[in-house]
Amino acid sequence: MHLTNEQERMLDGEEGPAAAKLLELLVALGEVFEAERLVPVESAHISGVSYKNLGEAGLEWLEEQADLGARARIRATLNPAGMDMDLWREMGVPEEFAKGQRKVIEVFERMGVEPTCTCTPYLIGHVPKFGSQIAWAESSAVCFSNSVLGARTNRESGPTTLASAVTGLAALYGYRLDENRRPGVVVDIEAELKTTMDYSALGYVIGKKLGKTVPYFRGLGRSSLESMKALGAACATSGGIALWHGEGVTPEAGQMKAFLDGLERLSVGDADLAEEVARLTRPLRDPIIVLGCPHSSLAELADIATFVEGRDMGGKLWVFTSRGVYEEAGEAGYIGVIENAGGRVFRDTCMVVAPVKEMGWDEVATNSFKAGHYMASMGLETRIATIRELLTGGSG
Ligand code: F3S
């Protein structure tokens, strides 16, 4: 791989041992993927934040980087942690876990990373420009930034995003290159997409069928920001899709029309979606309703508030969002309405990265296939339904 003189000097330690070590990691990765060179990246979004996944070994690695002088030179935000950093006791998070989690956040702050603790950084002002090279982890955020924003990233990991944050560089391969952003299959949507859950189901079906192949959707219809974040999160979960195009919806779809001839075609109908809903749905006794995977937007919190106003959710509704959106929703009065109805709204974390087993959970109901998929794989009983069905018992 070709390195500039400046990059060679960084590798030789001119910018400190942390930058040298982390650049070494990026160069090794680039060599595996036969990248010709490194490119500057404008922003990083770092995963591997929950103490549940990191454990002591992960924390020690981060501390080592910080002690060696690792400091972010580009904007870098953080994915969710394992608890609300203020309300962890109310979540039932064990004290020992909270201790470890606080250390993780402190070490990231020491390295100049913003402790945003959200998987939707694009909802709180971290919005990469169309065509920009970025280094993002968190599969749903990767899918959103590649597809909806038209930025360029691979599905990065915690260590590689930290390496890019500290060096300002990434290896040029994969979805950073034009030729790998072309679709591999045309998907004709015959299903009626009415709710965010329908888009989540569609993503889940497609991910399962296509694996990592880039889909080109026809017939997505009115696609709100919420439906697009749900679609991407689900297809990244069941398959590993990092980029999708939607005709008339996503910014690169127009230029992809030139590459559609001869592609395999696939159609998805209502029955395909219903089958996946049924697969993750069990008869539950007294589930906790979990919403906000990916983290809720302001519009979703407004909807939830409308549905629960005047009801009694009895502490059995947990909603997850970012601090930025929480603040806006608080000002708009939505948080107050949800809490008056016996719901809880937590920041910094989610149902998947929190230690829910230790918190005593065994049954959850959600509108998110990503959440349902992971919670089922953790051994919890799940139900998938629309927000309206979950909160009011009504349909649609
Ligand atoms: Fe976000 Fe957690 Fe879902 S990180 S996408 S809310 S699993």
Side-chain angles (χ1 to χ4, degrees), residues 23-347:
L23 182 56
E24 218 173 89
L25 171 70
L26 295 178
V27 170
L29 188 72
E31 276 164 0
V32 168
F33 287 97
E34 298 179 350
E36 283 177 12
R37 60 187 173 92
L38 298 163
V39 277
V41 287
E42 293 179 14
S43 92
H45 182 67
I46 301 175
S47 68
V49 183
S50 173
Y51 185 67
K52 173 175 155 182
N53 305 325
L54 282 170
E56 275 305 299
L59 172 60
E60 268 171 33
W61 185 82
L62 289 170
E63 279 172 340
E64 195 187 314
Q65 306 315 306
D67 291 345
L68 287 173
R71 297 294 177 270
R73 67 175 70 199
I74 54 174
R75 184 163 193 199
T77 49
L78 273 193
N79 217 35
M83 62 188 204
D84 185 309
M85 297 307 292
D86 300 322
L87 306 177
W88 56 273
R89 275 198 186 84
E90 293 185 31
M91 291 179 66
V93 169
E95 180 91 40
E96 259 319 284
F97 183 96
K99 224 163 104 189
Q101 187 63 74
R102 268 199 303 267
K103 284 190 192 163
V104 171
I105 300 300
E106 279 162 17
V107 70
F108 274 120
E109 285 190 274
R110 196 143 65 89
M111 292 190 279
V113 179
E114 296 173 39
T116 49
C117 298
T118 181
C119 51
T120 56
Y122 48 86
L123 294 181
I124 55 162
H126 190 179
V127 190
K129 290 190 300 290
F130 178 83
S132 58
Q133 295 284 357
I134 62 174
W136 279 30
E138 166 45 42
S139 64
S140 73
V142 165
C143 224
F144 192 93
S145 57
N146 265 332
S147 316
V148 182
L149 304 177
R152 296 183 170 216
T153 182
N154 288 314
R155 277 170 64 125
E156 301 286 349
S157 66
T160 64
T161 44
L162 181 64
S164 288
V166 170
T167 62
L169 297 164
L172 185 62
Y173 70 93
Y175 298 104
R176 304 188 179 286
L177 297 166
D178 287 345
E179 59 267 32
N180 297 326
R181 298 181 69 83
R182 292 176 193 156
V185 174
V186 175
V187 180
D188 292 305
I189 299 165
E190 287 160 10
E192 204 185 341
L193 302 175
K194 288 182 297 203
T195 65
T196 311
M197 188 210 74
D198 294 333
Y199 282 84
S200 185
L202 170 67
Y204 201 69
V205 168
I206 289 304
K208 268 187 159 182
K209 287 189 194 287
L210 299 191
K212 292 183 177 164
T213 306
V214 178
Y216 180 94
F217 291 109
R218 279 188 169 141
L220 270 183
R222 175 204 69 93
S223 296
S224 62
L225 180 149
E226 289 73 21
S227 56
M228 292 190 286
K229 81 176 163 72
L231 168 63
C235 67
T237 297
S238 58
I241 289 172
L243 165 67
W244 56 272
H245 301 292
E247 196 164 87
V249 174
T250 55
E252 283 168 273
Q255 68 202 66
M256 295 304 157
K257 282 191 175 157
F259 305 107
L260 301 182
D261 280 353
L263 288 188
E264 186 195 328
R265 295 182 78 119
L266 188 75
S267 62
V268 179
D270 290 321
D272 298 302
L273 308 194
E275 191 183 316
E276 289 305 326
V277 172
R279 226 182 46 77
L280 281 174
T281 296
R282 300 274 173 281
L284 306 182
R285 282 165 292 114
D286 189 21
I288 296 188
I289 298 169
V290 287
L291 301 174
C293 173
H295 273 175
S296 299
S297 69
L298 189 61
E300 285 170 316
L301 288 167
D303 280 349
I304 295 167
T306 306
F307 287 135
V308 300
E309 186 154 27
R311 289 178 184 269
D312 181 9
M313 305 307 295
K316 288 283 186 171
L317 165 64
W318 286 37
V319 185
F320 298 94
T321 190
S322 60
R323 281 183 179 253
V325 170
Y326 181 93
E327 204 171 303
E328 287 177 77
E331 280 163 19
Y334 308 144
I335 304 294
V337 171
I338 296 168
E339 289 183 346
N340 284 339
R344 321 298 303 268
V345 185
F346 293 108
R347 301 82 36 99

Side-chain angles (χ1 to χ4, degrees), residues 79-80 119 138 140 233 292-295 349-353 368 370-371 374:
N79 217 35
C119 51
E138 166 45 42
S140 73
C293 173
H295 273 175
T349 186
C350 77
M351 61 296 261
V352 173
V353 294
S368 162
K370 177 169 183 179
Y374 282 112

